[in-house]
Amino acid sequence: VNVSDRKYELLQKAREEINIKKIVLEKVASKDIDIFVQWIYDSNLKRRFFEILARVRNGDEYIPAYKFINILQREDKMIDLDIAVITNVIKNIDKIKALTDEFYMNIYPPSLSNESVVKLLKELIALCNEKEIMLNLELTEYAITTQKDIIEELSHNMFYLTFDDFGTGYTNYELVGELVD
């Protein structure tokens, strides 16, 4: 493909990608991740709850997840993102309780093998149980897990395990079968 006509455009995109990478890696390392809520309503509009979304601030703007998830995957920093998000959810649990009694939060499946993440999840689950908030942990489609032992260990508390974007990536019927055994 002749890219000579588009070289400046491609160069600009590469610079933007490098800049986003630098910002995101710094923010994740310092746990400077903002959490947003995306409201979800049931089909009868009788119940509402939300999903926690991770966003990275860049000045007065936010970098959406679709621009940084792949960077964090390539740099092996998804576990660090989960730690930052869970930490912020714990810090904001009273604000969450004021808004809803149920929420969803994504978790990168390999994070379930990380001691720090599991410790934070136990703390979050205990807080949610204490405050009567239903936590739905959504396994993301980006990686596979068959961490039955961790899931079983956490299952002594009240929370639900769900699959984010079921049917895409690694969240599929084969995975459900593996976890059931």
Side-chain angles (χ1 to χ4, degrees):
V1 173
N2 182 357
V3 295
S4 60
D5 294 338
R6 297 185 55 217
K7 65 184 172 190
Y8 294 112
E9 174 190 346
L10 294 171
L11 186 57
Q12 180 62 26
K13 286 185 184 219
R15 283 184 183 129
E16 288 173 16
E17 179 82 7
I18 290 168
N19 188 44
I20 288 172
K21 177 181 175 180
K22 180 180 178 259
I23 293 165
V24 167
L25 291 176
E26 287 173 3
K27 296 283 188 165
V28 168
S30 65
K31 294 185 180 87
D32 188 11
I33 300 296
D34 289 351
I35 56 173
F36 281 36
V37 298
Q38 176 175 301
W39 285 102
I40 302 168
Y41 296 88
D42 75 3
S43 61
N44 297 319
L45 296 176
K46 292 182 181 175
R47 287 185 45 232
R48 75 178 193 164
F49 42 93
F50 56 75
E51 179 176 4
I52 299 287
L53 303 176
R55 294 295 182 263
V56 174
R57 183 186 296 268
N58 180 20
D60 292 336
E61 298 181 3
Y62 284 95
I63 302 170
Y66 77 88
K67 287 191 173 186
F68 66 77
I69 291 295
N70 289 336
I71 292 169
L72 293 175
Q73 283 181 289
R74 284 192 307 265
E75 298 296 318
D76 198 25
K77 298 294 183 186
M78 289 294 291
I79 290 171
D80 295 336
L81 176 66
D82 282 345
I83 289 170
V85 169
I86 296 167
T87 300
N88 281 331
V89 169
I90 289 169
K91 285 180 188 173
N92 289 285
I93 199 70
D94 288 327
K95 292 178 184 175
I96 290 170
K97 176 62 179 173
L99 295 172
T100 188
D101 60 355
E102 180 177 6
F103 70 96
Y104 287 74
M105 184 182 74
N106 288 342
I107 189 92
Y108 185 61
S111 291
L112 296 175
S113 299
N114 181 281
E115 281 184 43
S116 297
V117 172
V118 172
K119 181 180 175 192
L120 283 168
L121 279 175
K122 287 178 180 179
E123 183 181 344
L124 176 59
I125 291 167
L127 272 172
C128 287
N129 286 318
E130 174 189 316
K131 298 197 179 281
E132 299 180 347
I133 303 170
M134 178 53 60
L135 170 62
N136 297 279
L137 286 177
E138 286 188 286
L139 294 177
T140 63
E141 69 275 15
Y142 304 113
I144 194 165
T145 188
T146 54
Q147 294 292 328
K148 292 184 272 190
D149 54 330
I150 299 299
I151 293 168
E152 194 171 296
E153 182 181 336
L154 293 172
S155 70
H156 299 293
N157 298 283
M158 187 59 187
F159 76 99
Y160 287 102
L161 186 64
T162 63
F163 295 100
D164 189 37
D165 298 336
F166 186 77
T168 63
Y170 290 103
T171 57
N172 54 46
Y173 289 108
E174 184 177 342
L175 175 59
V176 172
E178 289 287 324
L179 291 174
V180 169
D181 290 340

